[in-house]
Amino acid sequence: MDLLRFITAGSVDDGKSTLIGRLLYDSKSIMIDQLEAIEKQSKNKADGEIDLALLTDGLRAEREQGITIDVAYKYFATPKRKFIIADAPGHIQYTRNMVTGASNADLAIILIDARNGVVEQTRRHSIIASLLNIPHVVVAVNKMDLVNNSQDVYNNIVIDYAEVAKTLGLNDVTYIPISAINGANIVEKSEDFPWYEGASLLHILENVQVENDINHTDARFPVQFVIRPQTDALHDYRGYAGKISSGVYAKGDKVTVLPSGTTSAIKAIEVGGKEVKEAYAPQSVVLHLEDDIDISRGDIIVKTDNQPAVGNEIEVLLCWMDHKPLIPGNKYLLQLNSKTVRSVVKEITYKLDVNSLQQEAFPEKVGLNDVVKATIKTASPIAYDSYKKLRTNGGAILIDETSHVTVGACMIQ
Amino acid sequence: MSQYKTDYLDQLESEAIHIMREVAGQFEKPALLFSGGKDSITLVHLALKAFRPGKLPFPLVHIDTGHNFQEALDFRDELAEQLGERLIVRKVEDTIKARHLTEPKGKFASRNALQTYTLLDTIEEFKFDACIGGARRDEEKARAKERIFSVRDEFGQWDPKRQRPELWNTYNGRISKGENVRVFPISNWTELDIWNYIRREKIDLPSIYFSHDRKVLEHEGQLVAISDFIEVEPHDKVSVKRVRYRTVGDMTCTAAVESNASSIDDIIREIVATKTSERGETRIDDRVSEAAMEDRKKNGYF
């Protein structure tokens, strides 16, 4: 059994919560007491219908306003897979929440209302999926019952969306007609769409290939912690603890420690206290090197024949996440995996309109939810890859030094 | 097909170990909140995988309400001794005396709310800057929104509107003086994941998780153990039933379920078949209101 993390993008109006409710309900992941609780709450509402959105809207403010504000994580499993849903709000004012939910997703479900077709929100969600490099996209054309399950309507939406996907370079897109409210094509394939040759949504989610999404070529190991028991029995024990973010490490491999550039070889690898010959992403391991060299948290151990870039000036696509504006010249902490360095945002080249991909050169103001291209200078060199190539070593956060809040997400170019 | 496969439990395990090592790497004075329940026992197991053969870089801290199951307390003490790790116990009883707090009254008077005072005092006493806890997002829908690194102010309060964005596997543990962070390494695990992991790793649990005979009273469909901490009235239906516990909290606010499950396999079979959620079936304290958990967390509850 493996694991799929996916994000659902859309608003209540698109039937997003109904869709999630369906997946949970039909896969028997909603328990009776939870259902009773939302039935009770639904009665407090005017229309009296069971509102599946109440399952996901966990905060009082969300229930009061009938909107999703923050990312909620939901879980369900079938005999084939465990699923983690990041349920993110769809409105533009919560772009940062969608970016957050998208950062870990293997797959994005983009919901389209069959009556409206591809709209601004569809483009925005797709742009975010492409910015965050989500490997798989499922376009679910919902509310098909309201367009008489028309194949023509569906086909036209597919043609429209294919244009969007082409522009954005989304490679793996699957299309499916659904009616979430009736459960059509959600768990079982529906007879409402005899012209549709694909599988049900759950079947797609269960079968999309994700194991190849983990990079097993470019070995990167950010050191989190050095284990040194310093007891009599383990006097010389010095293990570098971390999670292999990509690639494979084997005993005897020649390695380079960055950013210093010191070289050594792997003496031993431990997984959960047991010695192994090789280990791979995403395992948490302890590495031992042949040479006694100075390595600490924030260093990254890579294979000598496959190294990331090392430098102190990076180009990034930056999603700004703070209520205070981004001011060029301000200093922030940049955290890339276990490495934290001081940095300064030097130049902002353009602002990206997340609805249209249009670029506004040298914008005067950068505020919450804006996505910009920027140059960042770091106080000391960092070892990084481009986000497009290696999501796990190309995504960094910016932290405000005074408030300590996470204010930006950087996709290194 | 790749030859480098990882099972979902391996992925969850690796994620949890990574989070614990981030705590060790980012904080000066972390602690692991340990209750003797299955989730915190799993946390300890994960911590050993993260840091052995070194010592754990944090003590185990138990906030003892005085209403705990003796089996869980014994298990706690034995585990700490067997591991040779430091165990800090602070008692709600002492906080009540020192601070002249008022004990809740009623049939199932629970110290659940009072334990927040003891927890905050303990954080203050030891200057803990991070507390690792065993909360899971599948437990309750307010928890479903909480970050893995959850920043609390000096009153221990959770402010859902001020949560930091948490991207990729990058955790921002920077805090101002007086603030601290609650860290939840098993956020993405479900109840069933925990049991499957306990089975796979052969983790020992206190005996109350397995079926046994116990004197209980029936209250609104829930079975509450007879103890010195609850008021038994003449009209109460008291009987001996074969039960086990699905969660282990205070004797006053944790209900038992009728069960013959005497092994982990039996328990997993029952959980797969059950139609009630873990908290819904066994926690009396969540029934107060729709936002009960959100409110408790805002007030510094773990």
Side-chain angles (χ1 to χ4, degrees), chain A residues 1 3 5 31-33 41 54 56 59-60 62 70 72-73 75 82 100 103-104 211 224 237 241-242 278 280 282-286 297 333 335 387 404 406, chain B residues 1-2 4-5 7-8 11 14-15 18 21-22 26 53 137 141 144-145 147 163-164 166 168 171-172 174 176 187-188 193 275-277 280 290-291 294-295:
Chain A
M1 197 158 128
L3 182 64
R5 296 174 196 252
M31 300 297 181
I32 283 178
D33 56 304
Q41 270 182 282
L54 293 169
T56 50
L59 302 175
R60 188 180 272 147
E62 293 178 319
D70 208 336
Y73 294 91
Y75 305 85
K82 173 185 166 89
T100 301
S103 70
N104 282 322
E211 55 187 59
Q224 294 182 270
Y237 187 101
E278 68 173 5
Y280 47 90
Q283 290 183 308
S284 281
V285 306
V286 176
R297 176 178 166 82
L333 293 168
Q335 186 177 347
Y387 186 78
H404 306 299
T406 303
Chain B
M1 276 262 197
S2 168
Y4 304 113
K5 286 196 168 191
D7 180 68
Y8 80 106
Q11 290 195 39
S14 180
E15 179 182 79
H18 175 256
R21 287 168 172 173
E22 281 304 289
Q26 293 195 35
R137 285 175 177 153
K141 59 187 178 180
K145 301 258 163 173
R147 303 291 183 260
Q163 296 204 91
R164 296 172 177 176
E166 198 165 71
W168 301 295
Y171 304 103
N172 171 9
R174 303 192 82 88
S176 305
S187 285
N188 287 325
D193 297 334
K275 293 189 168 54
T276 323
S277 77
E290 183 53 37
E294 184 179 340
D295 292 342

Coordinates of all heavy atoms in Angstrom, one line a residue, chain A residues 1 3 5 31-33 41 54 56 59-60 62 70 72-73 75 82 100 103-104 211 224 237 241-242 278 280 282-286 297 333 335 387 404 406, chain B residues 1-2 4-5 7-8 11 14-15 18 21-22 26 53 137 141 144-145 147 163-164 166 168 171-172 174 176 187-188 193 275-277 280 290-291 294-295:
Chain A
M1 N 0.8 -1.2 0.0 CA 0.0 0.0 0.0 C 0.9 1.2 0.0 O 1.8 1.3 0.7 CB -0.8 0.0 1.3 CG -2.0 0.9 1.2 SD -3.3 0.4 2.4 CE -3.5 1.9 3.3
L3 N 1.1 5.8 -0.8 CA 0.5 7.0 -0.3 C 0.3 8.0 -1.4 O 1.2 8.2 -2.2 CB 1.4 7.6 0.8 CG 1.1 8.8 1.6 CD1 -0.1 8.6 2.4 CD2 2.3 9.1 2.5
R5 N -0.8 12.1 -1.9 CA -1.2 13.3 -1.3 C -1.8 14.2 -2.5 O -1.1 14.4 -3.5 CB 0.0 14.1 -0.8 CG 0.6 13.4 0.4 CD 1.9 14.2 0.8 NE 2.7 13.3 1.7 CZ 2.9 13.5 3.0 NH1 2.3 14.5 3.6 NH2 3.6 12.7 3.7
M31 N -17.6 8.7 10.0 CA -18.2 7.9 11.0 C -19.6 8.4 11.4 O -19.9 9.6 11.2 CB -17.3 7.9 12.2 CG -15.9 7.3 11.9 SD -16.0 5.6 11.4 CE -14.3 5.2 11.1
I32 N -20.4 7.5 12.0 CA -21.7 7.9 12.3 C -21.8 9.2 13.2 O -22.6 10.1 12.9 CB -22.5 6.7 13.0 CG1 -22.8 5.7 12.0 CG2 -23.7 7.2 13.7 CD1 -23.5 4.5 12.5
D33 N -21.0 9.2 14.2 CA -21.1 10.4 15.1 C -20.7 11.7 14.4 O -21.2 12.7 14.7 CB -20.2 10.2 16.3 CG -18.7 9.9 16.0 OD1 -18.5 9.0 15.2 OD2 -17.9 10.6 16.5
Q41 N -25.9 20.2 12.9 CA -25.6 21.6 12.5 C -26.4 22.0 11.3 O -26.7 23.2 11.2 CB -24.1 21.6 12.1 CG -23.2 21.9 13.3 CD -21.8 22.0 12.8 OE1 -21.2 21.0 12.5 NE2 -21.4 23.2 12.5
L54 N -19.6 21.0 6.0 CA -19.4 21.1 7.5 C -18.3 20.1 7.9 O -17.8 20.3 9.0 CB -20.7 21.0 8.2 CG -21.7 22.1 8.0 CD1 -23.0 21.7 8.6 CD2 -21.2 23.4 8.6
T56 N -15.5 19.5 6.5 CA -14.2 20.0 6.3 C -13.9 21.4 6.9 O -12.8 21.7 7.2 CB -13.8 20.1 4.8 OG1 -14.9 20.8 4.1 CG2 -13.7 18.7 4.2
L59 N -13.1 25.3 11.6 CA -13.1 26.5 12.5 C -14.4 27.2 12.6 O -15.2 27.2 11.6 CB -12.0 27.4 12.0 CG -10.6 26.9 11.8 CD1 -9.6 27.9 11.2 CD2 -10.0 26.4 13.2
R60 N -14.6 27.7 13.7 CA -15.9 28.4 14.0 C -16.1 29.5 12.9 O -17.2 29.6 12.4 CB -15.9 29.0 15.4 CG -17.3 29.5 15.8 CD -17.2 30.1 17.2 NE -17.5 29.0 18.2 CZ -17.0 29.0 19.4 NH1 -16.1 29.9 19.7 NH2 -17.3 28.1 20.3
E62 N -15.1 29.7 10.0 CA -15.4 29.1 8.7 C -16.9 28.7 8.6 O -17.6 28.9 7.6 CB -14.5 27.9 8.4 CG -13.1 28.3 8.2 CD -12.2 27.1 7.9 OE1 -12.4 26.1 8.6 OE2 -11.3 27.2 7.1
D70 N -8.8 28.1 5.7 CA -7.5 27.5 5.9 C -7.4 26.1 5.2 O -8.5 25.6 5.0 CB -7.1 27.5 7.3 CG -5.6 27.6 7.5 OD1 -4.9 27.2 6.6 OD2 -5.2 28.0 8.6
A72 N -7.4 22.3 5.2 CA -7.7 21.3 6.2 C -7.2 20.0 5.6 O -7.2 19.8 4.4 CB -9.2 21.2 6.4
Y73 N -6.7 19.1 6.4 CA -6.2 17.8 5.9 C -7.2 16.8 6.3 O -7.7 16.7 7.4 CB -4.8 17.6 6.5 CG -3.8 18.6 6.0 CD1 -3.5 19.7 6.7 CD2 -3.1 18.3 4.8 CE1 -2.6 20.7 6.1 CE2 -2.3 19.2 4.3 CZ -2.0 20.4 4.9 OH -1.1 21.3 4.4
Y75 N -8.3 12.5 5.6 CA -7.6 11.2 5.4 C -8.6 10.1 5.0 O -9.7 10.1 5.6 CB -6.9 10.8 6.6 CG -5.9 11.8 7.1 CD1 -6.3 12.9 7.9 CD2 -4.6 11.8 6.6 CE1 -5.5 13.9 8.2 CE2 -3.7 12.8 7.0 CZ -4.2 13.9 7.8 OH -3.3 14.9 8.1
K82 N -3.4 4.8 0.8 CA -3.8 5.8 1.8 C -3.8 7.2 1.1 O -2.8 7.5 0.3 CB -2.8 5.8 3.0 CG -3.1 6.9 4.0 CD -2.0 7.0 5.1 CE -2.1 8.3 5.9 NZ -3.0 8.3 7.0
T100 N 0.3 26.7 0.0 CA 0.7 25.9 1.1 C 0.3 24.4 0.8 O 1.1 23.5 0.9 CB 0.2 26.4 2.4 OG1 0.6 27.7 2.6 CG2 0.6 25.5 3.6
S103 N 2.1 22.6 -2.0 CA 3.5 22.4 -1.9 C 3.9 20.9 -1.8 O 5.0 20.5 -2.2 CB 4.2 23.2 -0.8 OG 3.8 22.8 0.4
N104 N 3.0 20.1 -1.1 CA 3.3 18.7 -0.9 C 2.6 17.8 -1.8 O 2.7 16.6 -1.6 CB 3.0 18.4 0.6 CG 4.1 18.8 1.5 OD1 5.3 18.8 1.2 ND2 3.7 19.3 2.7
E211 N 5.1 6.6 -7.7 CA 6.5 6.2 -7.2 C 7.6 6.7 -8.1 O 8.7 7.0 -7.7 CB 6.6 4.7 -7.0 CG 6.3 3.9 -8.3 CD 6.3 2.4 -7.9 OE1 5.5 2.0 -7.0 OE2 7.1 1.7 -8.5
Q224 N 20.4 17.2 9.4 CA 19.5 17.8 10.4 C 20.1 17.9 11.8 O 19.9 18.8 12.5 CB 18.2 17.0 10.5 CG 17.3 17.0 9.3 CD 16.0 16.2 9.6 OE1 15.9 15.0 9.5 NE2 15.0 16.9 10.1
Y237 N 31.5 7.2 17.9 CA 30.3 7.2 17.1 C 30.0 8.7 16.7 O 29.8 9.6 17.5 CB 29.1 6.6 17.8 CG 27.9 6.4 17.0 CD1 27.5 5.2 16.5 CD2 27.0 7.5 16.8 CE1 26.4 5.0 15.7 CE2 25.9 7.4 16.0 CZ 25.5 6.1 15.5 OH 24.4 5.9 14.8
A241 N 22.4 12.6 11.0 CA 21.0 12.2 10.9 C 20.2 13.2 9.9 O 20.4 14.4 10.0 CB 20.3 12.3 12.3
G242 N 19.4 12.6 9.1 CA 18.6 13.4 8.1 C 17.7 12.5 7.3 O 17.7 11.3 7.5
E278 N 22.3 0.1 1.2 CA 21.9 1.3 0.5 C 20.6 1.8 1.1 O 19.8 1.1 1.6 CB 21.9 1.1 -1.0 CG 20.8 0.2 -1.5 CD 20.7 0.2 -3.1 OE1 21.6 0.9 -3.7 OE2 19.8 -0.4 -3.6
Y280 N 17.4 5.1 0.3 CA 16.9 6.0 -0.8 C 15.8 6.9 -0.3 O 15.2 6.7 0.8 CB 16.4 5.1 -1.9 CG 15.5 4.0 -1.5 CD1 14.2 4.1 -1.4 CD2 16.1 2.7 -1.2 CE1 13.3 3.1 -1.0 CE2 15.3 1.7 -0.7 CZ 13.9 1.9 -0.7 OH 13.1 0.9 -0.2
P282 N 12.2 8.5 0.2 CA 12.3 9.5 1.3 C 12.7 8.9 2.7 O 12.0 9.3 3.6 CB 10.9 10.1 1.3 CG 10.0 8.9 1.0 CD 10.8 7.9 0.2
Q283 N 13.7 8.0 2.7 CA 14.0 7.4 4.0 C 14.7 8.4 5.0 O 15.5 9.2 4.5 CB 14.8 6.2 3.8 CG 14.1 5.0 3.2 CD 14.9 3.8 3.0 OE1 16.0 3.8 2.5 NE2 14.4 2.7 3.5
S284 N 14.4 8.3 6.3 CA 15.2 9.0 7.3 C 16.3 8.0 7.7 O 16.0 6.9 8.1 CB 14.3 9.4 8.5 OG 13.6 10.5 8.2
V285 N 17.5 8.5 7.7 CA 18.6 7.6 7.9 C 19.7 8.3 8.8 O 19.6 9.4 9.1 CB 19.3 7.1 6.6 CG1 18.3 6.5 5.7 CG2 20.0 8.3 5.9
V286 N 20.7 7.5 9.1 CA 22.0 8.1 9.7 C 23.1 7.6 8.8 O 23.3 6.5 8.5 CB 22.2 7.5 11.2 CG1 23.5 8.0 11.7 CG2 21.0 7.9 12.1
R297 N 24.5 20.8 11.2 CA 23.2 21.0 10.7 C 23.2 22.1 9.6 O 23.8 23.1 9.8 CB 22.3 21.4 11.8 CG 20.9 21.8 11.4 CD 20.0 22.2 12.5 NE 18.8 22.8 12.0 CZ 17.7 22.2 11.5 NH1 17.7 20.8 11.5 NH2 16.7 22.8 11.0
L333 N 15.3 35.9 6.7 CA 16.0 34.6 6.8 C 15.4 33.7 5.7 O 14.2 33.7 5.4 CB 15.7 34.0 8.1 CG 16.3 34.7 9.3 CD1 15.7 34.2 10.6 CD2 17.8 34.6 9.3
Q335 N 15.2 29.8 4.5 CA 15.4 28.5 5.0 C 15.1 27.5 3.9 O 14.0 27.4 3.3 CB 14.4 28.2 6.2 CG 14.6 26.8 6.8 CD 13.7 26.6 8.0 OE1 13.1 27.5 8.5 NE2 13.6 25.4 8.5
Y387 N 13.8 24.4 -8.8 CA 12.6 23.8 -8.3 C 12.0 22.9 -9.3 O 11.5 21.8 -9.0 CB 11.6 24.9 -7.8 CG 10.4 24.4 -7.2 CD1 10.4 24.0 -5.9 CD2 9.2 24.3 -7.9 CE1 9.2 23.5 -5.3 CE2 8.0 23.8 -7.3 CZ 8.1 23.4 -6.0 OH 6.9 22.9 -5.4
H404 N 9.3 36.6 13.1 CA 9.5 35.2 13.0 C 8.5 34.5 12.1 O 8.5 33.2 12.1 CB 9.6 34.5 14.3 CG 10.7 35.2 15.2 ND1 12.0 35.3 14.9 CD2 10.5 35.8 16.4 CE1 12.6 35.9 15.8 NE2 11.8 36.3 16.7
T406 N 6.6 33.1 8.7 CA 6.9 32.7 7.4 C 6.2 33.7 6.4 O 5.0 33.8 6.4 CB 6.4 31.3 7.1 OG1 7.0 30.4 8.1 CG2 6.8 30.8 5.7
Chain B
M1 N 9.0 0.5 -13.5 CA 8.8 0.4 -12.0 C 10.1 0.6 -11.3 O 11.1 0.0 -11.6 CB 8.1 -0.9 -11.6 CG 6.6 -0.9 -11.8 SD 5.8 -0.6 -10.3 CE 4.2 -1.2 -10.7
S2 N 10.0 1.4 -10.3 CA 11.2 1.7 -9.5 C 11.4 0.5 -8.5 O 10.5 -0.1 -8.0 CB 11.0 3.0 -8.7 OG 12.0 3.1 -7.8
Y4 N 12.9 1.1 -5.8 CA 13.0 1.8 -4.5 C 11.6 2.1 -4.0 O 11.1 3.2 -4.1 CB 13.9 3.0 -4.6 CG 15.2 2.7 -5.1 CD1 15.7 3.2 -6.4 CD2 16.1 1.9 -4.4 CE1 16.9 2.9 -6.8 CE2 17.4 1.6 -4.8 CZ 17.8 2.1 -6.1 OH 19.0 1.8 -6.5
K5 N 11.0 1.1 -3.4 CA 9.6 1.3 -3.0 C 9.5 1.7 -1.5 O 10.3 1.2 -0.7 CB 8.8 0.0 -3.2 CG 8.5 -0.2 -4.7 CD 7.4 -1.3 -4.7 CE 6.8 -1.3 -6.1 NZ 5.6 -2.1 -6.3
D7 N 6.6 1.8 1.5 CA 5.3 1.6 2.0 C 4.7 2.8 2.7 O 5.5 3.7 3.1 CB 5.4 0.4 3.0 CG 4.0 0.1 3.6 OD1 3.2 -0.5 2.8 OD2 3.8 0.3 4.8
Y8 N 3.4 3.0 2.8 CA 2.9 4.2 3.4 C 3.3 4.3 4.8 O 3.5 5.5 5.3 CB 1.3 4.3 3.2 CG 0.6 3.5 4.2 CD1 -0.1 4.1 5.3 CD2 0.5 2.1 4.1 CE1 -0.8 3.3 6.2 CE2 -0.2 1.3 5.0 CZ -0.8 2.0 6.1 OH -1.5 1.2 7.0
Q11 N 6.7 5.8 4.9 CA 6.7 7.2 4.6 C 6.2 8.0 5.8 O 6.8 9.1 6.1 CB 5.7 7.5 3.4 CG 6.3 7.0 2.1 CD 5.6 7.6 0.9 OE1 5.2 8.8 0.9 NE2 5.4 6.8 -0.1
S14 N 9.1 8.0 8.4 CA 10.2 8.8 8.0 C 9.8 10.3 8.2 O 10.7 11.1 8.7 CB 10.6 8.6 6.5 OG 11.6 9.4 6.2
E15 N 8.6 10.7 7.9 CA 8.2 12.0 8.1 C 8.2 12.4 9.6 O 8.7 13.5 9.9 CB 6.7 12.2 7.5 CG 6.1 13.6 7.7 CD 4.7 13.6 7.2 OE1 3.8 13.2 7.9 OE2 4.5 14.1 6.1
H18 N 11.8 12.8 10.7 CA 12.3 14.0 10.2 C 11.8 15.2 11.1 O 12.6 16.1 11.4 CB 11.8 14.2 8.8 CG 12.2 15.5 8.1 ND1 11.3 16.5 8.0 CD2 13.4 16.0 7.7 CE1 11.9 17.6 7.4 NE2 13.2 17.3 7.2
R21 N 13.7 15.3 14.4 CA 15.0 15.8 14.2 C 15.1 17.3 14.0 O 16.0 17.9 14.4 CB 15.7 15.0 13.1 CG 16.1 13.6 13.5 CD 16.5 12.8 12.3 NE 17.0 11.4 12.7 CZ 17.3 10.5 11.8 NH1 17.2 10.7 10.5 NH2 17.8 9.3 12.2
E22 N 14.1 17.8 13.3 CA 14.0 19.3 13.2 C 13.8 19.9 14.5 O 14.4 21.0 14.8 CB 12.8 19.7 12.3 CG 13.0 19.5 10.8 CD 14.3 20.3 10.3 OE1 14.2 21.5 10.3 OE2 15.3 19.6 10.0
Q26 N 16.4 22.6 15.9 CA 16.0 24.0 15.9 C 15.8 24.6 17.3 O 15.7 25.8 17.5 CB 14.7 24.2 15.1 CG 14.8 24.0 13.6 CD 13.6 24.5 12.9 OE1 13.1 25.5 13.2 NE2 13.3 23.8 11.8
P53 N 21.9 5.6 18.5 CA 22.2 5.1 19.9 C 22.5 6.3 20.8 O 22.9 6.1 22.0 CB 23.5 4.3 19.7 CG 24.2 5.0 18.5 CD 23.1 5.4 17.6
R137 N -4.4 14.7 13.1 CA -5.4 15.6 12.5 C -6.7 14.9 12.2 O -7.7 15.5 12.0 CB -4.8 16.1 11.1 CG -3.8 17.2 11.3 CD -3.2 17.6 10.0 NE -2.3 18.7 10.1 CZ -1.3 18.9 9.2 NH1 -1.1 18.0 8.2 NH2 -0.5 19.9 9.3
K141 N -12.0 18.0 13.9 CA -11.8 18.9 12.8 C -11.1 20.2 13.1 O -10.6 20.8 12.1 CB -13.1 19.1 12.0 CG -14.2 19.7 12.8 CD -15.5 19.7 12.0 CE -16.7 20.2 12.7 NZ -17.8 20.2 11.9
A144 N -7.6 19.2 12.4 CA -7.3 19.0 11.0 C -6.8 20.3 10.4 O -6.2 20.3 9.3 CB -8.6 18.6 10.3
K145 N -6.9 21.4 11.1 CA -6.4 22.7 10.5 C -5.1 23.1 11.2 O -4.5 24.1 10.8 CB -7.4 23.8 10.8 CG -8.8 23.5 10.2 CD -9.0 24.3 9.0 CE -10.2 23.7 8.2 NZ -10.6 24.5 7.1
R147 N -1.2 23.3 12.2 CA 0.1 23.0 11.6 C 0.9 22.0 12.4 O 0.6 21.7 13.5 CB 1.0 24.3 11.6 CG 0.3 25.5 10.9 CD 0.2 25.3 9.4 NE -0.3 26.5 8.8 CZ -1.6 26.6 8.4 NH1 -2.4 25.6 8.5 NH2 -2.0 27.7 7.9
Q163 N -2.0 31.4 12.0 CA -1.1 30.3 11.7 C -0.1 30.6 10.6 O -0.5 31.2 9.6 CB -1.9 29.1 11.3 CG -2.8 28.6 12.4 CD -3.1 27.1 12.2 OE1 -2.4 26.3 12.7 NE2 -4.1 26.8 11.5
R164 N 1.1 30.1 10.7 CA 2.1 30.3 9.7 C 1.9 29.4 8.5 O 1.5 28.2 8.8 CB 3.5 30.1 10.2 CG 3.9 31.0 11.3 CD 5.2 30.6 11.9 NE 5.6 31.5 12.9 CZ 6.7 31.4 13.7 NH1 7.4 30.3 13.6 NH2 7.0 32.3 14.6
E166 N 2.8 26.6 6.1 CA 3.8 25.5 6.3 C 4.0 24.8 5.0 O 3.1 24.1 4.6 CB 3.3 24.6 7.4 CG 4.4 23.7 8.0 CD 3.9 23.1 9.3 OE1 3.0 22.2 9.3 OE2 4.4 23.5 10.4
W168 N 6.2 22.5 1.9 CA 7.1 21.4 1.7 C 7.3 20.7 3.0 O 6.4 20.4 3.7 CB 8.4 21.9 1.1 CG 8.1 22.6 -0.2 CD1 7.6 22.0 -1.4 CD2 8.3 24.0 -0.5 NE1 7.5 23.0 -2.3 CE2 7.9 24.2 -1.9 CE3 8.7 25.1 0.2 CZ2 7.9 25.4 -2.5 CZ3 8.7 26.3 -0.4 CH2 8.3 26.5 -1.7
Y171 N 10.0 23.4 8.2 CA 9.3 23.8 9.4 C 10.0 25.0 10.0 O 11.2 25.0 10.3 CB 9.2 22.7 10.4 CG 8.6 21.4 9.8 CD1 9.4 20.4 9.3 CD2 7.2 21.4 9.5 CE1 8.8 19.3 8.7 CE2 6.6 20.3 8.9 CZ 7.4 19.2 8.5 OH 6.8 18.2 7.9
N172 N 9.2 26.1 10.2 CA 9.8 27.3 10.8 C 9.5 27.3 12.3 O 8.4 27.5 12.7 CB 9.1 28.5 10.1 CG 9.4 29.8 10.8 OD1 10.3 29.9 11.7 ND2 8.7 30.9 10.3
R174 N 11.1 29.3 14.5 CA 11.6 30.6 15.1 C 10.4 31.2 16.0 O 9.3 31.4 15.5 CB 12.1 31.5 14.1 CG 13.2 30.9 13.2 CD 13.9 31.9 12.4 NE 14.9 32.6 13.2 CZ 16.2 32.1 13.3 NH1 16.5 31.0 12.7 NH2 17.1 32.8 14.0
S176 N 9.4 34.2 19.3 CA 9.8 35.3 20.2 C 9.9 34.8 21.6 O 9.4 33.7 21.9 CB 8.8 36.4 20.0 OG 8.7 36.8 18.7
S187 N 0.9 14.0 12.9 CA -0.3 14.7 12.4 C -1.0 14.0 11.3 O -2.3 13.9 11.2 CB 0.1 16.1 11.8 OG 0.4 17.0 12.8
N188 N -0.3 13.4 10.4 CA -0.9 12.7 9.2 C -1.2 11.3 9.4 O -1.5 10.6 8.4 CB 0.1 12.9 8.0 CG 0.1 14.3 7.5 OD1 -0.9 15.0 7.5 ND2 1.3 14.8 7.0
D193 N -3.7 3.8 11.1 CA -2.2 3.8 10.8 C -1.4 3.5 12.1 O -0.4 2.8 12.1 CB -1.8 5.2 10.3 CG -2.4 5.5 9.0 OD1 -2.8 4.6 8.2 OD2 -2.6 6.8 8.7
K275 N -18.1 1.9 13.2 CA -18.8 3.0 12.6 C -18.8 4.3 13.3 O -19.4 5.3 13.0 CB -20.3 2.6 12.3 CG -20.4 1.5 11.3 CD -21.9 1.2 11.0 CE -22.0 0.3 9.8 NZ -21.3 -1.0 10.0
T276 N -18.0 4.3 14.4 CA -18.0 5.5 15.2 C -16.5 6.0 15.3 O -15.6 5.1 15.3 CB -18.4 5.2 16.7 OG1 -19.5 4.3 16.6 CG2 -18.9 6.5 17.4
S277 N -16.3 7.3 15.3 CA -14.9 7.8 15.4 C -14.3 7.6 16.8 O -15.1 7.4 17.8 CB -14.9 9.2 15.0 OG -15.3 10.0 16.1
G280 N -15.4 10.3 19.2 CA -16.9 10.2 19.4 C -17.3 9.1 20.3 O -18.2 9.2 21.0
E290 N -20.0 22.0 19.7 CA -19.4 21.8 18.4 C -17.9 22.3 18.3 O -17.1 21.7 17.6 CB -20.2 22.6 17.3 CG -19.8 22.4 15.9 CD -19.7 21.0 15.5 OE1 -20.5 20.1 16.0 OE2 -18.8 20.7 14.7
A291 N -17.6 23.4 19.0 CA -16.3 23.9 18.9 C -15.5 23.7 20.2 O -14.5 24.4 20.5 CB -16.4 25.4 18.6
E294 N -11.7 23.4 19.5 CA -11.1 24.6 19.1 C -11.0 25.6 20.3 O -9.9 26.2 20.5 CB -12.0 25.3 18.0 CG -11.5 26.6 17.4 CD -12.4 27.1 16.3 OE1 -13.2 26.4 15.8 OE2 -12.2 28.3 16.1
D295 N -12.0 25.6 21.1 CA -11.9 26.5 22.3 C -10.9 26.1 23.3 O -10.1 26.9 23.8 CB -13.3 26.6 23.0 CG -14.3 27.2 22.1 OD1 -13.9 28.0 21.2 OD2 -15.5 27.1 22.4

